[in-house]
PDB file of all heavy atoms in Angstrom:
ATOM      1  N   VAL A  22      54.232   0.661 248.710  1.00 97.00           N
ATOM      2  CA  VAL A  22      53.056  -0.031 248.191  1.00 97.00           C
ATOM      3  C   VAL A  22      53.485  -0.885 247.006  1.00 97.00           C
ATOM      4  O   VAL A  22      54.183  -0.406 246.107  1.00 97.00           O
ATOM      5  CB  VAL A  22      51.970   0.975 247.727  1.00 97.00           C
ATOM      6  CG1 VAL A  22      50.761   0.251 247.153  1.00 97.00           C
ATOM      7  CG2 VAL A  22      51.573   1.918 248.847  1.00 97.00           C
ATOM      8  N   TYR A  23      53.054  -2.155 247.008  1.00 97.00           N
ATOM      9  CA  TYR A  23      53.283  -3.021 245.869  1.00 97.00           C
ATOM     10  C   TYR A  23      52.288  -2.662 244.771  1.00 97.00           C
ATOM     11  O   TYR A  23      51.124  -2.379 245.035  1.00 97.00           O
ATOM     12  CB  TYR A  23      53.086  -4.491 246.231  1.00 97.00           C
ATOM     13  CG  TYR A  23      54.119  -5.049 247.180  1.00 97.00           C
ATOM     14  CD1 TYR A  23      53.744  -5.741 248.322  1.00 97.00           C
ATOM     15  CD2 TYR A  23      55.475  -4.918 246.919  1.00 97.00           C
ATOM     16  CE1 TYR A  23      54.676  -6.280 249.179  1.00 97.00           C
ATOM     17  CE2 TYR A  23      56.425  -5.445 247.774  1.00 97.00           C
ATOM     18  CZ  TYR A  23      56.022  -6.126 248.904  1.00 97.00           C
ATOM     19  OH  TYR A  23      56.950  -6.652 249.749  1.00 97.00           O
ATOM     20  N   ILE A  24      52.744  -2.695 243.512  1.00 95.00           N
ATOM     21  CA  ILE A  24      51.873  -2.507 242.349  1.00 95.00           C
ATOM     22  C   ILE A  24      51.872  -3.838 241.612  1.00 95.00           C
ATOM     23  O   ILE A  24      52.919  -4.302 241.147  1.00 95.00           O
ATOM     24  CB  ILE A  24      52.384  -1.367 241.441  1.00 95.00           C
ATOM     25  CG1 ILE A  24      52.458  -0.058 242.231  1.00 95.00           C
ATOM     26  CG2 ILE A  24      51.475  -1.225 240.217  1.00 95.00           C
ATOM     27  CD1 ILE A  24      53.149   1.075 241.492  1.00 95.00           C
ATOM     28  N   GLN A  25      50.693  -4.451 241.526  1.00 95.00           N
ATOM     29  CA  GLN A  25      50.569  -5.787 240.965  1.00 95.00           C
ATOM     30  C   GLN A  25      50.049  -5.747 239.535  1.00 95.00           C
ATOM     31  O   GLN A  25      49.087  -5.042 239.235  1.00 95.00           O
ATOM     32  CB  GLN A  25      49.618  -6.618 241.831  1.00 95.00           C
ATOM     33  CG  GLN A  25      49.515  -8.060 241.406  1.00 95.00           C
ATOM     34  CD  GLN A  25      48.515  -8.841 242.242  1.00 95.00           C
ATOM     35  OE1 GLN A  25      47.472  -8.325 242.605  1.00 95.00           O
ATOM     36  NE2 GLN A  25      48.854 -10.095 242.546  1.00 95.00           N
ATOM     37  N   SER A  26      50.674  -6.530 238.671  1.00 93.00           N
ATOM     38  CA  SER A  26      50.202  -6.721 237.310  1.00 93.00           C
ATOM     39  C   SER A  26      49.196  -7.868 237.347  1.00 93.00           C
ATOM     40  O   SER A  26      49.545  -8.994 237.679  1.00 93.00           O
ATOM     41  CB  SER A  26      51.369  -7.071 236.383  1.00 93.00           C
ATOM     42  OG  SER A  26      50.898  -7.360 235.096  1.00 93.00           O
ATOM     43  N   ARG A  27      47.935  -7.559 237.024  1.00 85.00           N
ATOM     44  CA  ARG A  27      46.860  -8.550 237.089  1.00 85.00           C
ATOM     45  C   ARG A  27      46.356  -8.854 235.691  1.00 85.00           C
ATOM     46  O   ARG A  27      46.233  -7.957 234.861  1.00 85.00           O
ATOM     47  CB  ARG A  27      45.696  -8.018 237.924  1.00 85.00           C
ATOM     48  CG  ARG A  27      46.054  -7.802 239.378  1.00 85.00           C
ATOM     49  CD  ARG A  27      44.868  -7.313 240.151  1.00 85.00           C
ATOM     50  NE  ARG A  27      45.180  -7.250 241.577  1.00 85.00           N
ATOM     51  CZ  ARG A  27      44.331  -6.855 242.505  1.00 85.00           C
ATOM     52  NH1 ARG A  27      43.103  -6.476 242.151  1.00 85.00           N
ATOM     53  NH2 ARG A  27      44.684  -6.828 243.765  1.00 85.00           N
ATOM     54  N   THR A  28      45.999 -10.121 235.471  1.00 80.00           N
ATOM     55  CA  THR A  28      45.433 -10.522 234.190  1.00 80.00           C
ATOM     56  C   THR A  28      44.062  -9.899 234.033  1.00 80.00           C
ATOM     57  O   THR A  28      43.242  -9.963 234.945  1.00 80.00           O
ATOM     58  CB  THR A  28      45.316 -12.055 234.106  1.00 80.00           C
ATOM     59  OG1 THR A  28      46.622 -12.608 234.306  1.00 80.00           O
ATOM     60  CG2 THR A  28      44.779 -12.487 232.754  1.00 80.00           C
ATOM     61  N   GLY A  29      43.822  -9.284 232.879  1.00 66.00           N
ATOM     62  CA  GLY A  29      42.544  -8.633 232.600  1.00 66.00           C
ATOM     63  C   GLY A  29      41.442  -9.645 232.339  1.00 66.00           C
ATOM     64  O   GLY A  29      41.691 -10.769 231.895  1.00 66.00           O
ATOM     65  N   GLY A  30      40.209  -9.259 232.616  1.00 52.00           N
ATOM     66  CA  GLY A  30      39.062 -10.131 232.444  1.00 52.00           C
ATOM     67  C   GLY A  30      38.777 -10.497 231.002  1.00 52.00           C
ATOM     68  O   GLY A  30      38.147 -11.510 230.717  1.00 52.00           O
ATOM     69  N   ALA A  31      39.238  -9.704 230.058  1.00 49.00           N
ATOM     70  CA  ALA A  31      38.941  -9.963 228.644  1.00 49.00           C
ATOM     71  C   ALA A  31      39.932 -10.927 227.995  1.00 49.00           C
ATOM     72  O   ALA A  31      39.822 -11.228 226.813  1.00 49.00           O
ATOM     73  CB  ALA A  31      38.939  -8.649 227.881  1.00 49.00           C
ATOM     74  N   THR A  32      40.868 -11.438 228.763  1.00 44.00           N
ATOM     75  CA  THR A  32      41.907 -12.290 228.195  1.00 44.00           C
ATOM     76  C   THR A  32      41.335 -13.501 227.465  1.00 44.00           C
ATOM     77  O   THR A  32      41.722 -13.802 226.341  1.00 44.00           O
ATOM     78  CB  THR A  32      42.865 -12.774 229.302  1.00 44.00           C
ATOM     79  OG1 THR A  32      43.454 -11.625 229.904  1.00 44.00           O
ATOM     80  CG2 THR A  32      43.948 -13.669 228.757  1.00 44.00           C
ATOM     81  N   PHE A  33      40.412 -14.201 228.102  1.00 49.00           N
ATOM     82  CA  PHE A  33      39.886 -15.421 227.489  1.00 49.00           C
ATOM     83  C   PHE A  33      39.004 -15.103 226.284  1.00 49.00           C
ATOM     84  O   PHE A  33      39.024 -15.830 225.303  1.00 49.00           O
ATOM     85  CB  PHE A  33      39.165 -16.262 228.538  1.00 49.00           C
ATOM     86  CG  PHE A  33      40.104 -16.668 229.636  1.00 49.00           C
ATOM     87  CD1 PHE A  33      40.033 -16.069 230.879  1.00 49.00           C
ATOM     88  CD2 PHE A  33      41.099 -17.610 229.406  1.00 49.00           C
ATOM     89  CE1 PHE A  33      40.924 -16.409 231.882  1.00 49.00           C
ATOM     90  CE2 PHE A  33      41.995 -17.957 230.401  1.00 49.00           C
ATOM     91  CZ  PHE A  33      41.905 -17.354 231.654  1.00 49.00           C
ATOM     92  N   GLY A  34      38.260 -14.010 226.325  1.00 49.00           N
ATOM     93  CA  GLY A  34      37.492 -13.574 225.164  1.00 49.00           C
ATOM     94  C   GLY A  34      38.411 -13.210 224.020  1.00 49.00           C
ATOM     95  O   GLY A  34      38.118 -13.467 222.855  1.00 49.00           O
ATOM     96  N   ASN A  35      39.553 -12.629 224.354  1.00 49.00           N
ATOM     97  CA  ASN A  35      40.538 -12.260 223.341  1.00 49.00           C
ATOM     98  C   ASN A  35      41.073 -13.506 222.648  1.00 49.00           C
ATOM     99  O   ASN A  35      41.265 -13.518 221.434  1.00 49.00           O
ATOM    100  CB  ASN A  35      41.677 -11.475 223.989  1.00 49.00           C
ATOM    101  CG  ASN A  35      42.767 -11.116 222.996  1.00 49.00           C
ATOM    102  OD1 ASN A  35      42.493 -10.822 221.840  1.00 49.00           O
ATOM    103  ND2 ASN A  35      43.997 -11.156 223.439  1.00 49.00           N
ATOM    104  N   ILE A  36      41.304 -14.575 223.418  1.00 46.00           N
ATOM    105  CA  ILE A  36      41.809 -15.806 222.816  1.00 46.00           C
ATOM    106  C   ILE A  36      40.782 -16.357 221.835  1.00 46.00           C
ATOM    107  O   ILE A  36      41.117 -16.789 220.739  1.00 46.00           O
ATOM    108  CB  ILE A  36      42.171 -16.839 223.897  1.00 46.00           C
ATOM    109  CG1 ILE A  36      43.402 -16.351 224.669  1.00 46.00           C
ATOM    110  CG2 ILE A  36      42.434 -18.214 223.286  1.00 46.00           C
ATOM    111  CD1 ILE A  36      43.745 -17.157 225.893  1.00 46.00           C
ATOM    112  N   ILE A  37      39.499 -16.298 222.216  1.00 49.00           N
ATOM    113  CA  ILE A  37      38.440 -16.798 221.338  1.00 49.00           C
ATOM    114  C   ILE A  37      38.334 -15.927 220.089  1.00 49.00           C
ATOM    115  O   ILE A  37      38.299 -16.420 218.973  1.00 49.00           O
ATOM    116  CB  ILE A  37      37.088 -16.856 222.085  1.00 49.00           C
ATOM    117  CG1 ILE A  37      37.166 -17.935 223.168  1.00 49.00           C
ATOM    118  CG2 ILE A  37      35.939 -17.122 221.132  1.00 49.00           C
ATOM    119  CD1 ILE A  37      36.041 -17.884 224.171  1.00 49.00           C
ATOM    120  N   ALA A  38      38.306 -14.593 220.280  1.00 50.00           N
ATOM    121  CA  ALA A  38      38.125 -13.685 219.140  1.00 50.00           C
ATOM    122  C   ALA A  38      39.400 -13.520 218.326  1.00 50.00           C
ATOM    123  O   ALA A  38      39.351 -13.457 217.101  1.00 50.00           O
ATOM    124  CB  ALA A  38      37.652 -12.322 219.631  1.00 50.00           C
ATOM    125  N   GLY A  39      40.538 -13.442 219.000  1.00 49.00           N
ATOM    126  CA  GLY A  39      41.789 -13.150 218.306  1.00 49.00           C
ATOM    127  C   GLY A  39      42.613 -14.368 217.996  1.00 49.00           C
ATOM    128  O   GLY A  39      43.658 -14.274 217.363  1.00 49.00           O
ATOM    129  N   GLY A  40      42.175 -15.521 218.494  1.00 49.00           N
ATOM    130  CA  GLY A  40      42.917 -16.746 218.242  1.00 49.00           C
ATOM    131  C   GLY A  40      44.022 -16.943 219.256  1.00 49.00           C
ATOM    132  O   GLY A  40      44.343 -16.072 220.062  1.00 49.00           O
ATOM    133  N   VAL A  41      44.585 -18.110 219.214  1.00 47.00           N
ATOM    134  CA  VAL A  41      45.637 -18.482 220.155  1.00 47.00           C
ATOM    135  C   VAL A  41      46.854 -17.583 219.979  1.00 47.00           C
ATOM    136  O   VAL A  41      47.463 -17.147 220.959  1.00 47.00           O
ATOM    137  CB  VAL A  41      46.005 -19.975 219.984  1.00 47.00           C
ATOM    138  CG1 VAL A  41      47.201 -20.337 220.853  1.00 47.00           C
ATOM    139  CG2 VAL A  41      44.816 -20.855 220.321  1.00 47.00           C
ATOM    140  N   ILE A  42      47.209 -17.264 218.759  1.00 43.00           N
ATOM    141  CA  ILE A  42      48.394 -16.430 218.511  1.00 43.00           C
ATOM    142  C   ILE A  42      48.214 -15.061 219.163  1.00 43.00           C
ATOM    143  O   ILE A  42      49.108 -14.571 219.852  1.00 43.00           O
ATOM    144  CB  ILE A  42      48.691 -16.289 217.007  1.00 43.00           C
ATOM    145  CG1 ILE A  42      49.095 -17.644 216.431  1.00 43.00           C
ATOM    146  CG2 ILE A  42      49.780 -15.256 216.760  1.00 43.00           C
ATOM    147  CD1 ILE A  42      49.250 -17.669 214.934  1.00 43.00           C
ATOM    148  N   GLY A  43      47.046 -14.448 218.967  1.00 48.00           N
ATOM    149  CA  GLY A  43      46.789 -13.148 219.588  1.00 48.00           C
ATOM    150  C   GLY A  43      46.830 -13.227 221.106  1.00 48.00           C
ATOM    151  O   GLY A  43      47.367 -12.353 221.777  1.00 48.00           O
ATOM    152  N   GLY A  44      46.270 -14.306 221.658  1.00 48.00           N
ATOM    153  CA  GLY A  44      46.294 -14.499 223.108  1.00 48.00           C
ATOM    154  C   GLY A  44      47.707 -14.664 223.637  1.00 48.00           C
ATOM    155  O   GLY A  44      48.063 -14.118 224.677  1.00 48.00           O
ATOM    156  N   VAL A  45      48.531 -15.401 222.914  1.00 46.00           N
ATOM    157  CA  VAL A  45      49.925 -15.601 223.322  1.00 46.00           C
ATOM    158  C   VAL A  45      50.690 -14.283 223.268  1.00 46.00           C
ATOM    159  O   VAL A  45      51.443 -13.948 224.180  1.00 46.00           O
ATOM    160  CB  VAL A  45      50.608 -16.683 222.446  1.00 46.00           C
ATOM    161  CG1 VAL A  45      52.112 -16.713 222.678  1.00 46.00           C
ATOM    162  CG2 VAL A  45      49.989 -18.047 222.723  1.00 46.00           C
ATOM    163  N   ILE A  46      50.478 -13.526 222.202  1.00 46.00           N
ATOM    164  CA  ILE A  46      51.167 -12.236 222.069  1.00 46.00           C
ATOM    165  C   ILE A  46      50.776 -11.315 223.216  1.00 46.00           C
ATOM    166  O   ILE A  46      51.630 -10.734 223.880  1.00 46.00           O
ATOM    167  CB  ILE A  46      50.875 -11.578 220.705  1.00 46.00           C
ATOM    168  CG1 ILE A  46      51.571 -12.370 219.600  1.00 46.00           C
ATOM    169  CG2 ILE A  46      51.311 -10.122 220.682  1.00 46.00           C
ATOM    170  CD1 ILE A  46      51.180 -11.974 218.199  1.00 46.00           C
ATOM    171  N   ASP A  47      49.461 -11.175 223.464  1.00 44.00           N
ATOM    172  CA  ASP A  47      48.999 -10.299 224.544  1.00 44.00           C
ATOM    173  C   ASP A  47      49.504 -10.773 225.898  1.00 44.00           C
ATOM    174  O   ASP A  47      49.872  -9.971 226.752  1.00 44.00           O
ATOM    175  CB  ASP A  47      47.478 -10.214 224.557  1.00 44.00           C
ATOM    176  CG  ASP A  47      46.928  -9.410 223.398  1.00 44.00           C
ATOM    177  OD1 ASP A  47      47.696  -8.660 222.774  1.00 44.00           O
ATOM    178  OD2 ASP A  47      45.719  -9.528 223.125  1.00 44.00           O
ATOM    179  N   GLY A  48      49.538 -12.087 226.102  1.00 46.00           N
ATOM    180  CA  GLY A  48      50.021 -12.620 227.371  1.00 46.00           C
ATOM    181  C   GLY A  48      51.504 -12.398 227.568  1.00 46.00           C
ATOM    182  O   GLY A  48      51.959 -12.079 228.661  1.00 46.00           O
ATOM    183  N   SER A  49      52.275 -12.521 226.504  1.00 47.00           N
ATOM    184  CA  SER A  49      53.726 -12.388 226.631  1.00 47.00           C
ATOM    185  C   SER A  49      54.188 -10.942 226.756  1.00 47.00           C
ATOM    186  O   SER A  49      55.196 -10.672 227.394  1.00 47.00           O
ATOM    187  CB  SER A  49      54.428 -13.066 225.458  1.00 47.00           C
ATOM    188  OG  SER A  49      54.159 -12.384 224.263  1.00 47.00           O
ATOM    189  N   ASN A  50      53.462 -10.007 226.171  1.00 44.00           N
ATOM    190  CA  ASN A  50      53.904  -8.610 226.261  1.00 44.00           C
ATOM    191  C   ASN A  50      53.173  -7.835 227.354  1.00 44.00           C
ATOM    192  O   ASN A  50      53.424  -6.659 227.552  1.00 44.00           O
ATOM    193  CB  ASN A  50      53.811  -7.886 224.911  1.00 44.00           C
ATOM    194  CG  ASN A  50      52.388  -7.674 224.428  1.00 44.00           C
ATOM    195  OD1 ASN A  50      51.420  -7.779 225.177  1.00 44.00           O
ATOM    196  ND2 ASN A  50      52.251  -7.370 223.152  1.00 44.00           N
ATOM    197  N   GLY A  51      52.245  -8.501 228.062  1.00 45.00           N
ATOM    198  CA  GLY A  51      51.548  -7.876 229.183  1.00 45.00           C
ATOM    199  C   GLY A  51      50.356  -7.026 228.813  1.00 45.00           C
ATOM    200  O   GLY A  51      49.704  -6.461 229.688  1.00 45.00           O
ATOM    201  N   ALA A  52      50.025  -6.925 227.530  1.00 55.00           N
ATOM    202  CA  ALA A  52      48.945  -6.036 227.100  1.00 55.00           C
ATOM    203  C   ALA A  52      47.593  -6.445 227.665  1.00 55.00           C
ATOM    204  O   ALA A  52      46.710  -5.604 227.831  1.00 55.00           O
ATOM    205  CB  ALA A  52      48.873  -5.980 225.571  1.00 55.00           C
ATOM    206  N   SER A  53      47.420  -7.717 228.001  1.00 67.00           N
ATOM    207  CA  SER A  53      46.138  -8.162 228.543  1.00 67.00           C
ATOM    208  C   SER A  53      46.048  -7.929 230.049  1.00 67.00           C
ATOM    209  O   SER A  53      45.032  -8.218 230.663  1.00 67.00           O
ATOM    210  CB  SER A  53      45.908  -9.642 228.219  1.00 67.00           C
ATOM    211  OG  SER A  53      46.942 -10.429 228.778  1.00 67.00           O
ATOM    212  N   ASN A  54      47.098  -7.395 230.652  1.00 89.00           N
ATOM    213  CA  ASN A  54      47.117  -7.139 232.092  1.00 89.00           C
ATOM    214  C   ASN A  54      46.759  -5.685 232.394  1.00 89.00           C
ATOM    215  O   ASN A  54      46.780  -4.824 231.516  1.00 89.00           O
ATOM    216  CB  ASN A  54      48.507  -7.415 232.661  1.00 89.00           C
ATOM    217  CG  ASN A  54      48.872  -8.877 232.629  1.00 89.00           C
ATOM    218  OD1 ASN A  54      48.245  -9.678 231.947  1.00 89.00           O
ATOM    219  ND2 ASN A  54      49.896  -9.235 233.356  1.00 89.00           N
ATOM    220  N   HIS A  55      46.459  -5.434 233.663  1.00 88.00           N
ATOM    221  CA  HIS A  55      46.302  -4.067 234.154  1.00 88.00           C
ATOM    222  C   HIS A  55      47.019  -3.983 235.496  1.00 88.00           C
ATOM    223  O   HIS A  55      47.199  -4.986 236.186  1.00 88.00           O
ATOM    224  CB  HIS A  55      44.825  -3.665 234.268  1.00 88.00           C
ATOM    225  CG  HIS A  55      44.066  -4.430 235.305  1.00 88.00           C
ATOM    226  ND1 HIS A  55      43.567  -5.693 235.067  1.00 88.00           N
ATOM    227  CD2 HIS A  55      43.735  -4.130 236.582  1.00 88.00           C
ATOM    228  CE1 HIS A  55      42.953  -6.129 236.157  1.00 88.00           C
ATOM    229  NE2 HIS A  55      43.048  -5.207 237.094  1.00 88.00           N
ATOM    230  N   LEU A  56      47.455  -2.792 235.831  1.00 93.00           N
ATOM    231  CA  LEU A  56      48.181  -2.580 237.077  1.00 93.00           C
ATOM    232  C   LEU A  56      47.220  -2.146 238.176  1.00 93.00           C
ATOM    233  O   LEU A  56      46.314  -1.350 237.939  1.00 93.00           O
ATOM    234  CB  LEU A  56      49.275  -1.528 236.878  1.00 93.00           C
ATOM    235  CG  LEU A  56      50.330  -1.913 235.840  1.00 93.00           C
ATOM    236  CD1 LEU A  56      51.242  -0.737 235.552  1.00 93.00           C
ATOM    237  CD2 LEU A  56      51.135  -3.118 236.308  1.00 93.00           C
ATOM    238  N   TYR A  57      47.432  -2.682 239.379  1.00 93.00           N
ATOM    239  CA  TYR A  57      46.573  -2.367 240.521  1.00 93.00           C
ATOM    240  C   TYR A  57      47.449  -2.154 241.739  1.00 93.00           C
ATOM    241  O   TYR A  57      48.394  -2.912 241.933  1.00 93.00           O
ATOM    242  CB  TYR A  57      45.591  -3.516 240.786  1.00 93.00           C
ATOM    243  CG  TYR A  57      44.616  -3.170 241.872  1.00 93.00           C
ATOM    244  CD1 TYR A  57      43.468  -2.441 241.586  1.00 93.00           C
ATOM    245  CD2 TYR A  57      44.856  -3.536 243.187  1.00 93.00           C
ATOM    246  CE1 TYR A  57      42.581  -2.098 242.598  1.00 93.00           C
ATOM    247  CE2 TYR A  57      43.977  -3.192 244.191  1.00 93.00           C
ATOM    248  CZ  TYR A  57      42.840  -2.474 243.896  1.00 93.00           C
ATOM    249  OH  TYR A  57      41.968  -2.116 244.887  1.00 93.00           O
ATOM    250  N   PRO A  58      47.183  -1.152 242.553  1.00 94.00           N
ATOM    251  CA  PRO A  58      46.099  -0.180 242.409  1.00 94.00           C
ATOM    252  C   PRO A  58      46.453   0.900 241.391  1.00 94.00           C
ATOM    253  O   PRO A  58      47.614   1.177 241.144  1.00 94.00           O
ATOM    254  CB  PRO A  58      45.989   0.426 243.807  1.00 94.00           C
ATOM    255  CG  PRO A  58      47.354   0.290 244.410  1.00 94.00           C
ATOM    256  CD  PRO A  58      47.941  -0.966 243.798  1.00 94.00           C
ATOM    257  N   SER A  59      45.448   1.480 240.830  1.00 94.00           N
ATOM    258  CA  SER A  59      45.608   2.593 239.901  1.00 94.00           C
ATOM    259  C   SER A  59      44.368   3.471 239.995  1.00 94.00           C
ATOM    260  O   SER A  59      43.292   3.016 239.622  1.00 94.00           O
ATOM    261  CB  SER A  59      45.790   2.089 238.469  1.00 94.00           C
ATOM    262  OG  SER A  59      46.008   3.180 237.590  1.00 94.00           O
ATOM    263  N   PRO A  60      44.532   4.660 240.551  1.00 96.00           N
ATOM    264  CA  PRO A  60      45.768   5.306 240.976  1.00 96.00           C
ATOM    265  C   PRO A  60      46.322   4.661 242.251  1.00 96.00           C
ATOM    266  O   PRO A  60      45.602   3.981 242.971  1.00 96.00           O
ATOM    267  CB  PRO A  60      45.339   6.745 241.252  1.00 96.00           C
ATOM    268  CG  PRO A  60      43.908   6.637 241.667  1.00 96.00           C
ATOM    269  CD  PRO A  60      43.354   5.492 240.849  1.00 96.00           C
ATOM    270  N   VAL A  61      47.604   4.914 242.502  1.00 97.00           N
ATOM    271  CA  VAL A  61      48.203   4.527 243.772  1.00 97.00           C
ATOM    272  C   VAL A  61      48.056   5.765 244.657  1.00 97.00           C
ATOM    273  O   VAL A  61      48.811   6.719 244.543  1.00 97.00           O
ATOM    274  CB  VAL A  61      49.680   4.117 243.622  1.00 97.00           C
ATOM    275  CG1 VAL A  61      50.221   3.611 244.951  1.00 97.00           C
ATOM    276  CG2 VAL A  61      49.849   3.061 242.539  1.00 97.00           C
ATOM    277  N   TYR A  62      47.013   5.732 245.477  1.00 98.00           N
ATOM    278  CA  TYR A  62      46.598   6.893 246.268  1.00 98.00           C
ATOM    279  C   TYR A  62      46.690   6.496 247.738  1.00 98.00           C
ATOM    280  O   TYR A  62      45.987   5.600 248.190  1.00 98.00           O
ATOM    281  CB  TYR A  62      45.176   7.266 245.871  1.00 98.00           C
ATOM    282  CG  TYR A  62      44.599   8.557 246.390  1.00 98.00           C
ATOM    283  CD1 TYR A  62      45.317   9.437 247.194  1.00 98.00           C
ATOM    284  CD2 TYR A  62      43.294   8.897 246.066  1.00 98.00           C
ATOM    285  CE1 TYR A  62      44.763  10.622 247.632  1.00 98.00           C
ATOM    286  CE2 TYR A  62      42.725  10.083 246.513  1.00 98.00           C
ATOM    287  CZ  TYR A  62      43.463  10.938 247.297  1.00 98.00           C
ATOM    288  OH  TYR A  62      42.903  12.108 247.740  1.00 98.00           O
ATOM    289  N   VAL A  63      47.564   7.170 248.490  1.00 98.00           N
ATOM    290  CA  VAL A  63      47.845   6.793 249.870  1.00 98.00           C
ATOM    291  C   VAL A  63      47.581   7.961 250.812  1.00 98.00           C
ATOM    292  O   VAL A  63      48.018   9.079 250.560  1.00 98.00           O
ATOM    293  CB  VAL A  63      49.320   6.336 250.018  1.00 98.00           C
ATOM    294  CG1 VAL A  63      49.650   5.999 251.461  1.00 98.00           C
ATOM    295  CG2 VAL A  63      49.608   5.146 249.110  1.00 98.00           C
ATOM    296  N   ARG A  64      46.850   7.663 251.899  1.00 98.00           N
ATOM    297  CA  ARG A  64      46.705   8.638 252.991  1.00 98.00           C
ATOM    298  C   ARG A  64      47.841   8.351 253.967  1.00 98.00           C
ATOM    299  O   ARG A  64      47.919   7.280 254.546  1.00 98.00           O
ATOM    300  CB  ARG A  64      45.364   8.512 253.701  1.00 98.00           C
ATOM    301  CG  ARG A  64      45.231   9.531 254.852  1.00 98.00           C
ATOM    302  CD  ARG A  64      43.863   9.538 255.510  1.00 98.00           C
ATOM    303  NE  ARG A  64      42.874   9.949 254.525  1.00 98.00           N
ATOM    304  CZ  ARG A  64      41.665   9.390 254.413  1.00 98.00           C
ATOM    305  NH1 ARG A  64      41.300   8.406 255.211  1.00 98.00           N
ATOM    306  NH2 ARG A  64      40.820   9.829 253.504  1.00 98.00           N
ATOM    307  N   LEU A  65      48.731   9.336 254.097  1.00 98.00           N
ATOM    308  CA  LEU A  65      49.900   9.189 254.950  1.00 98.00           C
ATOM    309  C   LEU A  65      49.535   9.416 256.416  1.00 98.00           C
ATOM    310  O   LEU A  65      48.533  10.061 256.724  1.00 98.00           O
ATOM    311  CB  LEU A  65      50.973  10.189 254.512  1.00 98.00           C
ATOM    312  CG  LEU A  65      51.436  10.068 253.052  1.00 98.00           C
ATOM    313  CD1 LEU A  65      52.323  11.244 252.676  1.00 98.00           C
ATOM    314  CD2 LEU A  65      52.158   8.751 252.834  1.00 98.00           C
TER     315      LEU A  65
END
C-alpha cells in the first residue's frame, strides 16, 4: 500500500495567520501535511 503525504486543508489559513515565513517553514518541513491512509488498515 502506498502512503501519500497530502497537503493539509489549513495550509492557506496558516499562511494568512502565520505569514509567508510560517507557511514556507511548514511547507518545507512537511508539518502542514498529513499521511493517508491513516490507519493503514488492510483486509487480506
Side-chain angles (χ1 to χ4, degrees):
V22 178
Y23 292 130
I24 301 171
Q25 185 183 38
S26 175
R27 295 181 174 180
T28 303
T32 300
F33 299 106
N35 177 36
I36 291 171
I37 292 167
V41 174
I42 294 173
V45 169
I46 290 170
D47 288 343
S49 67
N50 68 16
S53 60
N54 292 15
H55 66 279
L56 299 171
Y57 185 84
S59 183
V61 185
Y62 189 1
V63 177
R64 179 175 297 139
L65 302 171

